[in-house]
Amino acid sequence: MAMHQISLADDGYGDGVHRNIIFEREFLVMGFLTYLINGLSLGSVYALIALGYTMVYGIAKMLNFAHGDVIMIGAYLVFICTSNAGMPAIVSIVIAIGCCTALGMIIEKIAYAPLRKATNLAVLITAIGVSYFLQNVALLVFGSNPVSFTSIIPWKGLTFAGGQLKITGNAIIAISVCLVIMIVLMWFVKNTKPGQAMRAVSEDRDAAVLMGINVNATISLTFAIGSGLAAIAGALLCSSYPSLTPYTGSMPGIKAFTAAVFGGIGSIPGALLGGLLLGIIEILAKAYISSELADAIVFAVLIIVLLVKPSGILGKQIKEKV
Amino acid sequence: MLEVKDLKVNYGVIQALKGISFEVNEGEVIALIGANGAGKTTTLQTISGMLTPTTGSVMLNGVDITRIPGHKIVSMGLAHVPEGRRVFPGLTVLENLKMGAYTRSNKKEIADSYEMVYESFPRLKERQNQLAGTLSGGEQQMLAMGRALMSKPSIVLMDEPSMGLSPIYVDEIFKIIQSISDAGTTVLLVEQNAKKALAIADRAYVLETGNIVLSGDAKDLMNDDSIKKAYLGE
Ligand SMILES: Nc1ncnc2c1ncn2[C@@H]1O[C@H](COP(=O)(O)OP(=O)(O)OP(=O)(O)O)[C@@H](O)[C@H]1O
Ligand SMILES: [Mg+2]
């Protein structure tokens, strides 16, 4: 939403490496692998954020543009807990998840629930309003100067091939956390009663009521899950890109939304696929083409995918018979 | 069993129901007939808690359910087969039926209900892994009815189950409604196919622009001149 966020390119990955022309094949391969892993790592964070967009869209049929800013709030909470209060990383994360979960539910109750029968446009404008509100509150409380986020992952990671291939602890943790969450979430949606309710509400809200499903509670739960994941995403994002400002959530939020559309909005595996692909494309474009053009390339790919398959890679296109 | 009293329902300034009263006794099949826009769907939606009336009351088994939210009414023994079927298109037939049993937890009893539904609708069993959105209209209607039965209701509201179906399917649907009734479930049936509805109903109410204008024994209504003219096309 904001115009002046810190671009991910600024504190980027291996910037300029591609300009050193070294003709050693092994080095090139290792370089590529490093970029790929960094892309997967960034993509995992996008995927976690995209989950929030895609679930809320699928179930509440709205675009929650304030979602990116919940990431920022989550990151600040972790920052306060670790850097100011000296708490261990895991405790800070749990606190941030708890607070963001509550924040998500409160936002839904106050800002969106009263608009359940309003037009999509009214809801969209409200969401933009909530986004600015969160940014402004953060500005008021934390100021506009970037704070330096200390990684919550002290682990230095693994080194292979005599030091040529380094996988950071951040990357390993981000990718694993994302995969575990995806698996748990897909299991949850398929095999539990609240998950079943989510599927029903996303398919047909009125029919869901007739099945005895509490639609308001289901939407609230969806916001809770999405916002809790946003806290995790915020901590992971700032562990890799440590400069934290009130605008930190905007750009990743927009990209994750793009990832959700890319993968097929409303689809959980779609969010994973879209997020990972977006991360990889972004990092590879930065490394091999141009860091300035990277975002343009990402969106160009999105547009091409949507031209070929309007519902996204894994989006459903069901012909309904009436 | 179901008692509707002086029900008035508004959509904004439009009054769709102007104070209707009727009752459904245990074991009966009651037909609610009327032309397009008479307020039939509005009536059913108000009973099942999808709409809130401006005044009036709905009693189910002696409990006032007028302002109880819709999702709580299902577990009180009322199921609603909505207008236009409203099956979950992206879920399989089996998953749709499972949704119907959402309020229940006894696995054994749920298994019995599957059996009962598959017995009434063998076609659903054949197609249990097919996406509901790809079923034919008649099959979707059967699924919508089967799904409603999965909540083990004591009363079922049905909103134009024969709409848009070929004559063979219409006959089949009405046979099934009859057998649902024979199995002891009370039925409130909204239909435009007044002839068929009156043939299986015990009693009927005629709705005209938000008012009940006529009521009585289904057999008597079938021979009523005004009904013959307006609804039976004779
Ligand atoms: N959501 C709505 N907003 C405004 N008016 C509505 C709405 N739904 C129904 N109405 C109006 O209320 C009246 C009753 O509608 P209802 O759907 O109950 O009729 P019906 O008897 O079920 O008709 P049909 O046989 O065509 O299904 C109609 O005049 C209709 O235009
Ligand atoms: Mg109707």
Side-chain angles (χ1 to χ4, degrees):
Chain A
M1 298 292 107
M3 306 318 306
H4 39 284
Q5 52 270 324
I6 309 285
S7 157
L8 287 180
D10 292 354
D11 28 38
Y13 269 86
D15 39 337
V17 169
H18 61 291
R19 290 186 200 105
N20 302 328
I21 307 162
I22 294 166
F23 292 100
E24 235 180 285
R25 205 167 140 246
E26 202 171 306
F27 189 90
L28 285 179
V29 171
M30 290 306 158
F32 178 77
L33 282 178
T34 307
Y35 291 134
L36 201 62
I37 289 161
N38 289 341
L40 280 174
S41 164
L42 178 61
S44 299
V45 176
Y46 287 158
L48 285 180
I49 309 170
L51 270 180
Y53 277 109
T54 227
M55 289 176 70
V56 164
Y57 180 84
I59 290 153
K61 302 285 177 267
M62 64 162 289
L63 291 175
N64 177 21
F65 269 113
H67 187 58
D69 303 291
V70 176
I71 301 163
M72 173 271 296
I73 301 279
Y76 269 113
L77 286 168
V78 173
F79 174 77
I80 293 169
C81 289
T82 49
S83 299
N84 293 12
M87 293 181 197
I90 189 78
V91 178
S92 316
I93 291 272
V94 171
I95 291 176
I97 293 174
C99 293
C100 284
T101 302
L103 178 66
M105 290 168 79
I106 292 168
I107 290 173
E108 195 277 325
K109 188 110 261 147
I110 294 178
Y112 304 145
L115 298 177
R116 205 75 95 211
K117 295 203 166 83
T119 62
N120 288 344
L121 217 47
V123 179
L124 186 66
I125 290 166
T126 307
I128 293 172
V130 172
S131 166
Y132 275 114
F133 177 78
L134 292 178
Q135 287 179 13
N136 290 358
V137 168
L139 266 178
L140 207 63
V141 177
F142 305 109
S144 59
N145 289 333
V147 298
S148 180
F149 191 94
T150 340
S151 173
I152 48 158
I153 301 149
W155 182 31
K156 285 271 168 286
L158 303 171
T159 321
F160 298 98
Q164 288 192 61
L165 179 62
K166 245 188 105 225
I167 307 178
T168 63
N170 283 342
I172 297 171
I173 299 288
I175 296 166
S176 339
V177 163
C178 170
L179 289 180
V180 169
I181 286 174
M182 282 295 162
I183 291 166
V184 170
L185 213 54
M186 286 201 272
W187 175 86
F188 177 82
V189 167
K190 204 151 180 76
N191 296 297
T192 67
K193 280 245 151 166
Q196 207 189 339
M198 286 178 164
R199 293 178 79 193
V201 174
S202 88
E203 288 275 324
D204 187 330
R205 194 181 287 180
D206 290 335
V209 173
L210 296 180
M211 303 297 108
I213 290 164
N214 185 340
V215 171
N216 285 330
T218 305
I219 292 178
S220 188
L221 174 68
T222 309
F223 271 84
I225 294 175
S227 307
L229 296 182
I232 300 176
L236 290 173
L237 182 73
C238 290
S239 292
S240 292
Y241 303 91
S243 164
L244 173 59
T245 75
Y247 307 111
T248 292
S250 301
M251 200 56 195
I254 290 172
K255 290 206 184 131
F257 167 62
T258 310
V261 176
F262 198 44
I265 192 138
S267 152
I268 291 177
L272 175 65
L273 189 64
L276 293 182
L277 282 176
L278 205 78
I280 292 170
I281 294 170
E282 181 180 330
I283 296 286
L284 290 184
K286 259 183 203 160
Y288 295 111
I289 305 175
S290 149
S291 27
E292 288 76 21
L293 275 180
D295 288 348
I297 292 166
V298 165
F299 281 89
V301 173
L302 169 81
I303 290 166
I304 292 167
V305 167
L306 292 186
L307 281 176
V308 178
K309 195 156 186 299
S311 56
I313 303 172
L314 296 181
K316 295 191 250 189
Q317 282 169 306
I318 295 168
K319 281 184 225 93
E320 279 176 54
K321 286 186 189 161
V322 184
Chain B
M1 158 156 264
L2 183 72
E3 203 181 346
V4 172
K5 250 199 216 129
D6 192 32
L7 211 55
K8 290 185 184 149
V9 177
N10 280 53
Y11 293 105
V13 291
I14 304 165
Q15 190 165 47
L17 294 182
K18 298 170 181 162
I20 63 165
S21 303
F22 64 92
E23 83 232 359
V24 181
N25 301 314
E26 189 158 359
E28 279 184 320
V29 176
I30 298 297
L32 187 61
I33 57 179
N36 288 118
K40 306 179 297 291
T41 298
T42 305
T43 305
L44 294 195
Q45 288 186 339
T46 311
I47 293 171
S48 60
M50 312 286 290
L51 293 171
T52 316
T54 39
T55 61
S57 68
V58 180
M59 306 281 282
L60 177 64
N61 295 320
V63 182
D64 187 343
I65 60 165
T66 322
R67 303 200 183 260
I68 292 184
H71 66 92
K72 288 190 183 156
I73 293 176
V74 185
S75 49
M76 300 173 81
L78 185 141
H80 182 166
V81 184
E83 186 169 33
R85 296 129 201 172
R86 303 295 283 269
V87 296
F88 300 110
L91 304 188
T92 64
V93 168
L94 188 63
E95 288 169 330
N96 266 273
L97 292 178
K98 196 171 163 203
M99 288 296 175
Y102 185 81
T103 51
R104 301 168 67 193
S105 47
N106 186 324
K107 289 221 166 65
K108 171 86 187 52
E109 284 179 26
I110 294 175
D112 290 346
S113 291
Y114 277 120
E115 200 128 303
M116 183 267 291
V117 167
Y118 282 147
E119 213 165 281
S120 315
F121 308 95
R123 202 186 308 250
L124 293 184
K125 186 165 191 178
E126 287 162 28
R127 299 181 173 272
Q128 42 178 316
N129 296 317
Q130 187 175 332
L131 290 184
T134 63
L135 295 174
S136 76
E139 289 163 349
Q140 288 192 6
Q141 186 60 54
M142 292 179 180
L143 179 56
M145 293 169 94
R147 186 180 65 176
L149 294 177
M150 287 300 294
S151 70
K152 211 178 182 194
S154 49
I155 177 166
V156 187
L157 319 182
M158 295 186 195
D159 199 340
E160 305 207 32
S162 74
M163 185 170 57
L165 301 186
S166 64
I168 301 168
Y169 263 121
V170 171
D171 288 343
E172 196 163 341
I173 292 290
F174 275 97
K175 252 184 233 146
I176 290 163
I177 297 171
Q178 183 66 61
S179 71
I180 289 172
S181 164
D182 293 343
T185 310
T186 308
V187 177
L188 174 57
L189 174 64
V190 158
E191 260 301 335
Q192 287 206 35
N193 191 332
K195 199 176 213 162
K196 289 240 186 296
L198 290 175
I200 65 165
D202 297 302
R203 293 184 299 118
Y205 293 87
V206 181
L207 202 56
E208 228 166 66
T209 56
N211 286 305
I212 289 180
V213 292
L214 208 59
S215 66
D217 235 47
K219 305 283 161 301
D220 297 343
L221 287 179
M222 249 195 295
N223 297 318
D224 185 288
D225 283 340
S226 63
I227 295 282
K228 273 186 183 167
K229 229 186 250 145
Y231 300 104
L232 302 177
E234 289 174 18

